[in-house]
């Protein structure tokens, strides 16, 4: 199994429960070693679609945020984010 940036970002997101700062630190300061088993485990936990910052589908509008999500999970039609007017429901990075 070839490991892609998408696989690594998903694994980091799962490992740190989406904690933005911890994910950034992992990417910046460590050389994460991900096995095929860890990647498969991360993929098995995801029940929705997801998009990573390095992906072609990553919405342009997100790139202009102060702290753009490295990876986000979604349901629905991602292309709707490219419309001029949009309404979205965004979950917290730290839900309570």
């Amino acid at each position: 199994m070839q490991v892609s940036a998408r696989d690594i970002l998903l694994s980091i997101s799962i490992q740190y429960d989406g904690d933005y700062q911890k994910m950034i630190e992992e990417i910046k300061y460590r050389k994460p070693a991900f096995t095929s088993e860890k990647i498969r485990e991360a993929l098995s936990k995801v029940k929705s679609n997801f998009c990573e910052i390095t992906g072609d589908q990553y919405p342009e509008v997100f790139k202009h945020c102060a702290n753009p999500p490295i990876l986000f999970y979604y349901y629905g039609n991602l292309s709707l984010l490219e419309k001029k007017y949009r309404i979205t429901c965004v979950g917290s990075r730290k839900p309570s």
Side-chain angles (χ1 to χ4, degrees):
M1 175 182 198
Q2 185 174 347
V3 178
S4 67
R6 177 181 168 93
D7 296 333
I8 291 171
L9 292 175
L10 173 65
S11 294
I12 291 171
S13 175
I14 297 289
Q15 180 179 352
Y16 294 108
D17 294 323
D19 185 308
Y20 186 80
Q21 282 307 119
K22 288 181 181 177
M23 291 171 67
I24 291 295
E25 287 175 22
E26 177 76 17
I27 293 165
K28 273 181 151 177
Y29 301 113
R30 297 184 186 102
K31 295 182 180 178
F34 293 98
T35 64
S36 296
E37 186 176 316
K38 278 190 173 184
I39 300 292
R40 278 193 291 276
E41 182 181 322
L43 285 168
S44 73
K45 290 182 179 183
V46 178
K47 304 298 180 211
S48 64
N49 297 312
F50 66 96
C51 187
E52 78 289 350
I53 198 165
T54 60
D56 295 337
Q57 290 184 311
Y58 194 83
E60 187 65 32
V61 69
F62 283 12
K63 293 177 184 177
H64 302 287
C65 296
N67 293 315
I70 297 168
L71 179 137
F72 65 92
Y73 305 92
Y74 69 94
Y75 291 103
N77 185 348
L78 197 57
S79 69
L80 294 174
L81 291 174
E82 301 303 324
K83 301 283 185 187
K84 182 176 179 179
Y85 299 104
R86 54 197 166 266
I87 298 174
T88 60
C89 178
V90 178
S92 170
R93 287 184 173 148
K94 295 181 182 181
S96 59

